[in-house]
mmCIF file of all heavy atoms in Angstrom:
data_model
loop_
_atom_site.group_PDB
_atom_site.id
_atom_site.type_symbol
_atom_site.label_atom_id
_atom_site.label_comp_id
_atom_site.label_asym_id
_atom_site.label_seq_id
_atom_site.Cartn_x
_atom_site.Cartn_y
_atom_site.Cartn_z
ATOM 1 N N PRO K 157 122.823 111.375 114.203
ATOM 2 C CA PRO K 157 121.648 111.790 113.439
ATOM 3 C C PRO K 157 120.928 110.588 112.834
ATOM 4 O O PRO K 157 121.557 109.659 112.335
ATOM 5 C CB PRO K 157 122.237 112.687 112.345
ATOM 6 C CG PRO K 157 123.543 113.173 112.899
ATOM 7 C CD PRO K 157 124.059 112.038 113.739
ATOM 8 N N VAL K 158 119.595 110.626 112.887
ATOM 9 C CA VAL K 158 118.766 109.535 112.367
ATOM 10 C C VAL K 158 117.990 110.040 111.148
ATOM 11 O O VAL K 158 117.285 111.047 111.222
ATOM 12 C CB VAL K 158 117.783 109.026 113.439
ATOM 13 C CG1 VAL K 158 116.880 107.928 112.859
ATOM 14 C CG2 VAL K 158 118.537 108.504 114.658
ATOM 15 N N ILE K 159 118.125 109.320 110.041
ATOM 16 C CA ILE K 159 117.380 109.628 108.815
ATOM 17 C C ILE K 159 116.300 108.571 108.636
ATOM 18 O O ILE K 159 116.595 107.376 108.611
ATOM 19 C CB ILE K 159 118.300 109.627 107.583
ATOM 20 C CG1 ILE K 159 119.421 110.660 107.732
ATOM 21 C CG2 ILE K 159 117.497 109.897 106.308
ATOM 22 C CD1 ILE K 159 120.464 110.582 106.618
ATOM 23 N N ALA K 160 115.051 108.995 108.493
ATOM 24 C CA ALA K 160 113.961 108.073 108.198
ATOM 25 C C ALA K 160 113.721 108.039 106.692
ATOM 26 O O ALA K 160 113.554 109.083 106.058
ATOM 27 C CB ALA K 160 112.690 108.499 108.924
ATOM 28 N N ARG K 161 113.723 106.859 106.147
ATOM 29 C CA ARG K 161 113.451 106.633 104.709
ATOM 30 C C ARG K 161 112.027 106.090 104.628
ATOM 31 O O ARG K 161 111.772 104.937 104.970
ATOM 32 C CB ARG K 161 114.468 105.638 104.145
ATOM 33 C CG ARG K 161 114.302 105.314 102.669
ATOM 34 C CD ARG K 161 115.113 104.088 102.301
ATOM 35 N NE ARG K 161 115.026 103.749 100.882
ATOM 36 C CZ ARG K 161 114.000 103.127 100.304
ATOM 37 N NH1 ARG K 161 112.952 102.768 101.035
ATOM 38 N NH2 ARG K 161 114.024 102.856 99.011
ATOM 39 N N VAL K 162 111.093 106.910 104.165
ATOM 40 C CA VAL K 162 109.662 106.620 104.357
ATOM 41 C C VAL K 162 108.971 106.389 103.014
ATOM 42 O O VAL K 162 109.082 107.216 102.104
ATOM 43 C CB VAL K 162 108.978 107.786 105.105
ATOM 44 C CG1 VAL K 162 107.544 107.405 105.478
ATOM 45 C CG2 VAL K 162 109.768 108.168 106.358
ATOM 46 N N GLN K 163 108.222 105.287 102.916
ATOM 47 C CA GLN K 163 107.478 104.985 101.704
ATOM 48 C C GLN K 163 106.182 104.279 102.077
ATOM 49 O O GLN K 163 106.034 103.769 103.182
ATOM 50 C CB GLN K 163 108.318 104.116 100.758
ATOM 51 C CG GLN K 163 108.273 102.619 101.007
ATOM 52 C CD GLN K 163 109.068 102.178 102.218
ATOM 53 O OE1 GLN K 163 109.729 102.975 102.886
ATOM 54 N NE2 GLN K 163 109.020 100.886 102.529
ATOM 55 N N GLY K 164 105.234 104.284 101.141
ATOM 56 C CA GLY K 164 104.005 103.524 101.329
ATOM 57 C C GLY K 164 103.072 104.136 102.347
ATOM 58 O O GLY K 164 102.282 105.012 102.038
ATOM 59 N N HIS K 165 103.172 103.655 103.584
ATOM 60 C CA HIS K 165 102.326 104.143 104.665
ATOM 61 C C HIS K 165 103.161 104.382 105.926
ATOM 62 O O HIS K 165 104.053 103.601 106.244
ATOM 63 C CB HIS K 165 101.219 103.130 105.002
ATOM 64 C CG HIS K 165 100.211 102.969 103.906
ATOM 65 N ND1 HIS K 165 100.396 102.075 102.872
ATOM 66 C CD2 HIS K 165 99.027 103.599 103.665
ATOM 67 C CE1 HIS K 165 99.360 102.156 102.042
ATOM 68 N NE2 HIS K 165 98.521 103.068 102.511
ATOM 69 N N ALA K 166 102.838 105.458 106.622
ATOM 70 C CA ALA K 166 103.349 105.723 107.969
ATOM 71 C C ALA K 166 102.128 106.113 108.787
ATOM 72 O O ALA K 166 101.674 107.261 108.745
ATOM 73 C CB ALA K 166 104.393 106.833 107.963
ATOM 74 N N LEU K 167 101.587 105.163 109.508
ATOM 75 C CA LEU K 167 100.322 105.352 110.210
ATOM 76 C C LEU K 167 100.514 105.165 111.716
ATOM 77 O O LEU K 167 101.297 104.315 112.148
ATOM 78 C CB LEU K 167 99.282 104.344 109.714
ATOM 79 C CG LEU K 167 99.088 104.246 108.198
ATOM 80 C CD1 LEU K 167 98.078 103.151 107.870
ATOM 81 C CD2 LEU K 167 98.654 105.582 107.614
ATOM 82 N N GLY K 168 99.797 105.947 112.513
ATOM 83 C CA GLY K 168 99.850 105.791 113.958
ATOM 84 C C GLY K 168 101.277 105.848 114.473
ATOM 85 O O GLY K 168 101.993 106.842 114.306
ATOM 86 N N GLY K 169 101.702 104.748 115.089
ATOM 87 C CA GLY K 169 103.070 104.686 115.602
ATOM 88 C C GLY K 169 104.125 104.846 114.532
ATOM 89 O O GLY K 169 105.248 105.260 114.810
ATOM 90 N N GLY K 170 103.781 104.531 113.272
ATOM 91 C CA GLY K 170 104.709 104.777 112.167
ATOM 92 C C GLY K 170 105.003 106.253 112.026
ATOM 93 O O GLY K 170 106.146 106.651 111.743
ATOM 94 N N CYS K 171 103.986 107.094 112.224
ATOM 95 C CA CYS K 171 104.210 108.550 112.255
ATOM 96 C C CYS K 171 105.092 108.932 113.436
ATOM 97 O O CYS K 171 105.883 109.871 113.341
ATOM 98 C CB CYS K 171 102.879 109.290 112.353
ATOM 99 S SG CYS K 171 102.058 109.575 110.778
ATOM 100 N N GLY K 172 104.944 108.201 114.538
ATOM 101 C CA GLY K 172 105.804 108.452 115.689
ATOM 102 C C GLY K 172 107.264 108.212 115.372
ATOM 103 O O GLY K 172 108.136 108.981 115.778
ATOM 104 N N LEU K 173 107.549 107.150 114.618
ATOM 105 C CA LEU K 173 108.929 106.880 114.209
ATOM 106 C C LEU K 173 109.475 108.007 113.339
ATOM 107 O O LEU K 173 110.628 108.419 113.487
ATOM 108 C CB LEU K 173 109.010 105.561 113.442
ATOM 109 C CG LEU K 173 108.819 104.275 114.224
ATOM 110 C CD1 LEU K 173 108.845 103.085 113.268
ATOM 111 C CD2 LEU K 173 109.877 104.122 115.296
ATOM 112 N N VAL K 174 108.644 108.504 112.425
ATOM 113 C CA VAL K 174 109.067 109.610 111.573
ATOM 114 C C VAL K 174 109.361 110.839 112.423
ATOM 115 O O VAL K 174 110.361 111.533 112.221
ATOM 116 C CB VAL K 174 107.981 109.921 110.516
ATOM 117 C CG1 VAL K 174 108.386 111.129 109.674
ATOM 118 C CG2 VAL K 174 107.741 108.709 109.617
ATOM 119 N N ALA K 175 108.495 111.110 113.395
ATOM 120 C CA ALA K 175 108.662 112.285 114.250
ATOM 121 C C ALA K 175 109.915 112.191 115.115
ATOM 122 O O ALA K 175 110.517 113.215 115.444
ATOM 123 C CB ALA K 175 107.426 112.469 115.133
ATOM 124 N N CYS K 176 110.317 110.989 115.481
ATOM 125 C CA CYS K 176 111.515 110.802 116.315
ATOM 126 C C CYS K 176 112.809 110.968 115.531
ATOM 127 O O CYS K 176 113.873 111.120 116.135
ATOM 128 C CB CYS K 176 111.515 109.412 116.939
ATOM 129 S SG CYS K 176 110.322 109.200 118.244
ATOM 130 N N SER K 177 112.726 110.913 114.217
ATOM 131 C CA SER K 177 113.924 110.998 113.389
ATOM 132 C C SER K 177 114.336 112.452 113.193
ATOM 133 O O SER K 177 113.504 113.356 113.207
ATOM 134 C CB SER K 177 113.653 110.345 112.026
ATOM 135 O OG SER K 177 113.273 108.994 112.189
ATOM 136 N N ASP K 178 115.613 112.668 113.016
ATOM 137 C CA ASP K 178 116.122 114.030 112.817
ATOM 138 C C ASP K 178 115.786 114.545 111.427
ATOM 139 O O ASP K 178 115.481 115.725 111.243
ATOM 140 C CB ASP K 178 117.640 114.054 113.026
ATOM 141 C CG ASP K 178 118.007 113.629 114.431
ATOM 142 O OD1 ASP K 178 117.649 114.350 115.370
ATOM 143 O OD2 ASP K 178 118.623 112.557 114.590
ATOM 144 N N ILE K 179 115.863 113.672 110.444
ATOM 145 C CA ILE K 179 115.576 114.029 109.059
ATOM 146 C C ILE K 179 114.681 112.944 108.479
ATOM 147 O O ILE K 179 114.955 111.757 108.650
ATOM 148 C CB ILE K 179 116.870 114.131 108.220
ATOM 149 C CG1 ILE K 179 117.894 115.045 108.893
ATOM 150 C CG2 ILE K 179 116.566 114.631 106.814
ATOM 151 C CD1 ILE K 179 119.276 114.995 108.268
ATOM 152 N N ALA K 180 113.606 113.348 107.809
ATOM 153 C CA ALA K 180 112.700 112.377 107.199
ATOM 154 C C ALA K 180 112.546 112.688 105.720
ATOM 155 O O ALA K 180 112.203 113.810 105.340
ATOM 156 C CB ALA K 180 111.341 112.400 107.887
ATOM 157 N N VAL K 181 112.800 111.668 104.890
ATOM 158 C CA VAL K 181 112.636 111.771 103.446
ATOM 159 C C VAL K 181 111.552 110.787 103.040
ATOM 160 O O VAL K 181 111.602 109.610 103.399
ATOM 161 C CB VAL K 181 113.942 111.437 102.701
ATOM 162 C CG1 VAL K 181 113.770 111.636 101.209
ATOM 163 C CG2 VAL K 181 115.086 112.283 103.218
ATOM 164 N N ALA K 182 110.555 111.271 102.294
ATOM 165 C CA ALA K 182 109.420 110.420 101.944
ATOM 166 C C ALA K 182 109.202 110.371 100.448
ATOM 167 O O ALA K 182 109.450 111.349 99.731
ATOM 168 C CB ALA K 182 108.148 110.927 102.633
ATOM 169 N N ALA K 183 108.704 109.229 99.990
ATOM 170 C CA ALA K 183 108.255 109.118 98.606
ATOM 171 C C ALA K 183 106.996 109.970 98.430
ATOM 172 O O ALA K 183 106.189 110.091 99.356
ATOM 173 C CB ALA K 183 107.962 107.656 98.276
ATOM 174 N N PRO K 184 106.813 110.583 97.263
ATOM 175 C CA PRO K 184 105.684 111.500 97.066
ATOM 176 C C PRO K 184 104.304 110.873 97.240
ATOM 177 O O PRO K 184 103.334 111.582 97.520
ATOM 178 C CB PRO K 184 105.879 111.988 95.623
ATOM 179 C CG PRO K 184 107.338 111.806 95.353
ATOM 180 C CD PRO K 184 107.729 110.576 96.113
ATOM 181 N N ASP K 185 104.188 109.551 97.072
ATOM 182 C CA ASP K 185 102.873 108.913 97.198
ATOM 183 C C ASP K 185 102.636 108.296 98.571
ATOM 184 O O ASP K 185 101.679 107.546 98.771
ATOM 185 C CB ASP K 185 102.697 107.845 96.116
ATOM 186 C CG ASP K 185 103.762 106.750 96.177
ATOM 187 O OD1 ASP K 185 104.727 106.892 96.968
ATOM 188 O OD2 ASP K 185 103.631 105.764 95.439
ATOM 189 N N THR K 186 103.485 108.602 99.549
ATOM 190 C CA THR K 186 103.318 108.070 100.901
ATOM 191 C C THR K 186 102.057 108.641 101.548
ATOM 192 O O THR K 186 101.736 109.811 101.382
ATOM 193 C CB THR K 186 104.542 108.417 101.771
ATOM 194 O OG1 THR K 186 105.734 108.010 101.106
ATOM 195 C CG2 THR K 186 104.469 107.706 103.125
ATOM 196 N N LYS K 187 101.362 107.797 102.313
ATOM 197 C CA LYS K 187 100.191 108.226 103.067
ATOM 198 C C LYS K 187 100.505 108.189 104.566
ATOM 199 O O LYS K 187 101.131 107.245 105.054
ATOM 200 C CB LYS K 187 98.988 107.320 102.779
ATOM 201 C CG LYS K 187 98.583 107.289 101.311
ATOM 202 C CD LYS K 187 98.182 108.676 100.812
ATOM 203 C CE LYS K 187 97.757 108.628 99.348
ATOM 204 N NZ LYS K 187 97.478 109.985 98.810
ATOM 205 N N PHE K 188 100.040 109.215 105.263
ATOM 206 C CA PHE K 188 100.294 109.361 106.695
ATOM 207 C C PHE K 188 98.971 109.475 107.436
ATOM 208 O O PHE K 188 97.960 109.890 106.870
ATOM 209 C CB PHE K 188 101.113 110.628 106.966
ATOM 210 C CG PHE K 188 102.455 110.659 106.296
ATOM 211 C CD1 PHE K 188 102.590 111.047 104.967
ATOM 212 C CD2 PHE K 188 103.602 110.313 106.997
ATOM 213 C CE1 PHE K 188 103.826 111.084 104.350
ATOM 214 C CE2 PHE K 188 104.843 110.345 106.389
ATOM 215 C CZ PHE K 188 104.961 110.735 105.062
ATOM 216 N N ALA K 189 98.979 109.141 108.740
ATOM 217 C CA ALA K 189 97.801 109.384 109.581
ATOM 218 C C ALA K 189 98.172 109.181 111.045
ATOM 219 O O ALA K 189 98.914 108.246 111.384
ATOM 220 C CB ALA K 189 96.652 108.455 109.216
ATOM 221 N N PHE K 190 97.671 110.069 111.885
ATOM 222 C CA PHE K 190 97.648 109.834 113.326
ATOM 223 C C PHE K 190 96.277 109.196 113.588
ATOM 224 O O PHE K 190 95.326 109.855 114.003
ATOM 225 C CB PHE K 190 97.827 111.146 114.088
ATOM 226 C CG PHE K 190 99.171 111.782 113.869
ATOM 227 C CD1 PHE K 190 99.337 112.793 112.939
ATOM 228 C CD2 PHE K 190 100.279 111.359 114.589
ATOM 229 C CE1 PHE K 190 100.574 113.383 112.735
ATOM 230 C CE2 PHE K 190 101.532 111.928 114.391
ATOM 231 C CZ PHE K 190 101.676 112.948 113.457
ATOM 232 N N SER K 191 96.199 107.914 113.329
ATOM 233 C CA SER K 191 94.911 107.240 113.139
ATOM 234 C C SER K 191 94.309 106.658 114.414
ATOM 235 O O SER K 191 93.266 105.998 114.360
ATOM 236 C CB SER K 191 95.092 106.119 112.109
ATOM 237 O OG SER K 191 96.201 105.300 112.443
ATOM 238 N N GLU K 192 94.907 106.916 115.562
ATOM 239 C CA GLU K 192 94.472 106.253 116.794
ATOM 240 C C GLU K 192 93.005 106.487 117.130
ATOM 241 O O GLU K 192 92.310 105.590 117.625
ATOM 242 C CB GLU K 192 95.360 106.702 117.963
ATOM 243 C CG GLU K 192 96.754 106.100 117.965
ATOM 244 C CD GLU K 192 97.736 106.838 117.063
ATOM 245 O OE1 GLU K 192 97.314 107.769 116.338
ATOM 246 O OE2 GLU K 192 98.932 106.489 117.079
ATOM 247 N N VAL K 193 92.502 107.716 116.890
ATOM 248 C CA VAL K 193 91.098 107.987 117.260
ATOM 249 C C VAL K 193 90.123 107.121 116.478
ATOM 250 O O VAL K 193 88.990 106.901 116.928
ATOM 251 C CB VAL K 193 90.749 109.484 117.079
ATOM 252 C CG1 VAL K 193 91.485 110.331 118.098
ATOM 253 C CG2 VAL K 193 91.016 109.955 115.654
ATOM 254 N N LYS K 194 90.524 106.628 115.325
ATOM 255 C CA LYS K 194 89.659 105.744 114.558
ATOM 256 C C LYS K 194 89.425 104.424 115.305
ATOM 257 O O LYS K 194 88.475 103.695 115.002
ATOM 258 C CB LYS K 194 90.266 105.444 113.186
ATOM 259 C CG LYS K 194 90.541 106.674 112.326
ATOM 260 C CD LYS K 194 89.284 107.415 111.950
ATOM 261 C CE LYS K 194 89.586 108.487 110.898
ATOM 262 N NZ LYS K 194 88.394 109.294 110.557
ATOM 263 N N LEU K 195 90.305 104.127 116.270
ATOM 264 C CA LEU K 195 90.169 102.915 117.086
ATOM 265 C C LEU K 195 89.625 103.228 118.476
ATOM 266 O O LEU K 195 89.609 102.356 119.341
ATOM 267 C CB LEU K 195 91.534 102.222 117.222
ATOM 268 C CG LEU K 195 92.248 101.862 115.912
ATOM 269 C CD1 LEU K 195 93.617 101.269 116.204
ATOM 270 C CD2 LEU K 195 91.408 100.900 115.091
ATOM 271 N N GLY K 196 89.239 104.482 118.689
ATOM 272 C CA GLY K 196 88.720 104.860 119.992
ATOM 273 C C GLY K 196 89.796 105.118 121.025
ATOM 274 O O GLY K 196 89.522 105.167 122.233
ATOM 275 N N ILE K 197 91.040 105.295 120.579
ATOM 276 C CA ILE K 197 92.141 105.606 121.495
ATOM 277 C C ILE K 197 92.793 106.916 121.044
ATOM 278 O O ILE K 197 92.241 107.623 120.206
ATOM 279 C CB ILE K 197 93.161 104.441 121.580
ATOM 280 C CG1 ILE K 197 93.715 104.104 120.185
ATOM 281 C CG2 ILE K 197 92.489 103.211 122.193
ATOM 282 C CD1 ILE K 197 94.777 103.020 120.195
ATOM 283 N N ILE K 198 93.931 107.261 121.611
ATOM 284 C CA ILE K 198 94.588 108.527 121.283
ATOM 285 C C ILE K 198 96.079 108.297 121.064
ATOM 286 O O ILE K 198 96.654 107.336 121.594
ATOM 287 C CB ILE K 198 94.376 109.577 122.398
ATOM 288 C CG1 ILE K 198 94.868 109.050 123.755
ATOM 289 C CG2 ILE K 198 92.922 110.006 122.474
ATOM 290 C CD1 ILE K 198 94.809 110.084 124.880
ATOM 291 N N PRO K 199 96.753 109.204 120.316
ATOM 292 C CA PRO K 199 98.196 109.057 120.064
ATOM 293 C C PRO K 199 99.040 109.587 121.217
ATOM 294 O O PRO K 199 99.921 110.422 121.042
ATOM 295 C CB PRO K 199 98.402 109.883 118.786
ATOM 296 C CG PRO K 199 97.380 110.952 118.875
ATOM 297 C CD PRO K 199 96.170 110.319 119.539
ATOM 298 N N ALA K 200 98.756 109.104 122.417
ATOM 299 C CA ALA K 200 99.360 109.670 123.623
ATOM 300 C C ALA K 200 100.874 109.479 123.672
ATOM 301 O O ALA K 200 101.625 110.436 123.897
ATOM 302 C CB ALA K 200 98.716 109.050 124.868
ATOM 303 N N VAL K 201 101.348 108.265 123.444
ATOM 304 C CA VAL K 201 102.771 107.978 123.630
ATOM 305 C C VAL K 201 103.622 108.684 122.576
ATOM 306 O O VAL K 201 104.723 109.160 122.872
ATOM 307 C CB VAL K 201 103.019 106.454 123.611
ATOM 308 C CG1 VAL K 201 104.506 106.151 123.776
ATOM 309 C CG2 VAL K 201 102.233 105.780 124.735
ATOM 310 N N ILE K 202 103.111 108.798 121.360
ATOM 311 C CA ILE K 202 103.892 109.467 120.318
ATOM 312 C C ILE K 202 103.722 110.980 120.350
ATOM 313 O O ILE K 202 104.441 111.699 119.649
ATOM 314 C CB ILE K 202 103.542 108.931 118.914
ATOM 315 C CG1 ILE K 202 102.117 109.331 118.498
ATOM 316 C CG2 ILE K 202 103.743 107.423 118.835
ATOM 317 C CD1 ILE K 202 101.785 108.992 117.057
ATOM 318 N N SER K 203 102.788 111.487 121.154
ATOM 319 C CA SER K 203 102.447 112.913 121.094
ATOM 320 C C SER K 203 103.608 113.862 121.404
ATOM 321 O O SER K 203 103.735 114.895 120.725
ATOM 322 C CB SER K 203 101.254 113.226 121.999
ATOM 323 O OG SER K 203 101.547 112.985 123.357
#
């Protein structure tokens, strides 16, 4: 089992790491985004 300990930012591929983990625990002020479209691309590999 993989536990993700998440704080600060989990953006793009960082969200992918969280999604791959079995259990994810985050600090309440963490910010997330599947931000690839902002760069004109898509979150294909993490999808």
Side-chain angles (χ1 to χ4, degrees):
V158 177
I159 301 173
R161 180 194 182 282
V162 188
Q163 85 285 357
H165 293 87
L167 309 177
C171 275
L173 289 176
V174 177
C176 287
S177 301
D178 299 295
I179 308 169
V181 184
D185 59 352
T186 308
K187 301 299 181 185
F188 300 82
F190 295 98
S191 50
E192 286 83 354
V193 291
K194 302 296 190 183
L195 304 176
I197 57 177
I198 56 175
V201 179
I202 68 172
S203 64

